[in-house]
Amino acid sequence: MSDCIFCRIIAGEIPSPRLYEDEKMIVIRDINPQAPMHLLLIPKEHYPNIAEMTAKQATTLARCLRTFAKLADGFGLSGGFRIISNKGADACQTVNHLHIHILGGEKLSENMNCSPDLPI
Ligand code: 5GP
Ligand code: ZN
């Protein structure tokens, strides 16, 4: 999709160093990190989110996550990491190409602390 920023990164039209790449996915750093290590696992196939994912795409995504999990220590995530995938307006999804946020590099908040109206 020519108007999709992640498709353009995958195609090499927008430069973005890849920490990992195979035939199914890329892993890049988020441009606006929310943790010391904030990566994006992006399947190469364009689809908007997990609610619009086919069974085949789900199988591919599961394989990508397994691949990532095996590599995580090498990305400085041996202490652990959190994965998030935003879907839709309430989750503030901004890029409509499915991606998995991977956050770590320090001890993260014990609660998810995602609602601006909830006490910390
Ligand atoms: P969403 O809000 O859709 O779950 O997440 C989109 C993420 O993509 C955001 O965290 C944002 O910082 C990141 N992002 C947007 N544009 C770019 C870009 O051009 N390069 C990189 N590396 N990350 C981007
Ligand atoms: Zn795309």
Side-chain angles (χ1 to χ4, degrees), residues 1 7 9 13 16-17 26 39 51 56 58 63 71-72 75 79 82 84 88 93 99 103 107 112 118 120:
M1 299 239 322
C7 281
I9 287 173
E13 294 169 19
S16 183
I26 62 170
L39 306 177
K56 190 173 175 207
R63 289 201 179 116
L71 298 170
F75 295 136
R82 182 173 290 164
I84 295 172
Q93 183 178 6
H99 52 283
L103 299 137
K107 185 158 175 61
M112 296 303 232
L118 284 175
I120 295 174

Side-chain angles (χ1 to χ4, degrees), residues 1 4-7 46-47 96-97:
M1 299 239 322
C4 168
I5 193 155
F6 287 171
C7 281
H46 179 101
Y47 54 98
N96 289 317
H97 178 135

Side-chain angles (χ1 to χ4, degrees), residues 53-73:
M53 178 171 66
T54 66
K56 190 173 175 207
Q57 288 163 342
T59 299
T60 299
L61 180 61
R63 289 201 179 116
C64 291
L65 286 166
R66 268 177 59 79
T67 299
F68 178 82
K70 289 177 191 162
L71 298 170
D73 285 6

